[in-house]
Amino acid sequence: MTRFFPLPALCMFAIVLVPSATFAETSPDRFQMNHDIHIQADEKVGDVTCIGCSVYVRGQVSGDVTAIAGGVIAEAGSSIAGDVTTIGGNARVESGTQVAGDLTAIGGDLRRDPQASVAG
């Protein structure tokens, strides 16, 4: 006869769900259509995606920044742990900015200050 033990099953369920909920709260992703996204100096977010609008980064992004039909402006002192990609818009990285990934502008201009750090 097989017995079902609900406590171990409940513990396994909690182990799987709790870490994902914790990570979601610490670095929420941002998505917007037709309305600019502003990441303030004291903010830390995950991936940022903007369609028909621009992204202004002053704080920290732990993922990628993508703008379609809009631009990305990484202001002085900001940091982006992933890639910066614009399609149909301009990308500008100011002095003191750190980008850990690639910097790509398709159908737009790419402006990188010599004092900006781009590792990709």
Side-chain angles (χ1 to χ4, degrees):
M1 176 181 219
T2 308
R3 289 188 170 191
F4 176 74
F5 295 103
L7 185 59
L10 181 62
C11 290
M12 290 301 291
F13 184 72
I15 290 171
V16 171
L17 287 183
V18 170
S20 63
T22 303
F23 289 126
E25 290 176 15
T26 58
S27 296
D29 293 342
R30 301 273 300 267
F31 174 81
Q32 197 69 259
M33 291 180 69
N34 301 320
H35 192 274
D36 292 346
I37 298 174
H38 295 269
I39 310 297
Q40 300 302 324
D42 59 345
E43 283 186 276
K44 183 175 181 181
V45 299
D47 292 325
V48 180
T49 305
C50 197
I51 299 173
C53 50
S54 295
V55 179
Y56 299 87
V57 181
R58 289 185 186 155
Q60 296 179 349
V61 177
S62 62
D64 299 327
V65 178
T66 305
I68 300 171
V72 174
I73 295 88
E75 298 181 15
S78 62
S79 68
I80 300 169
D83 300 327
V84 174
T85 306
T86 63
I87 300 172
N90 300 328
R92 184 176 78 211
V93 180
E94 295 180 355
S95 176
T97 300
Q98 296 178 343
V99 178
D102 295 327
L103 185 58
T104 308
I106 300 169
D109 293 331
L110 182 61
R111 295 187 184 119
R112 175 185 171 213
D113 188 277
Q115 299 301 318
S117 170
V118 179

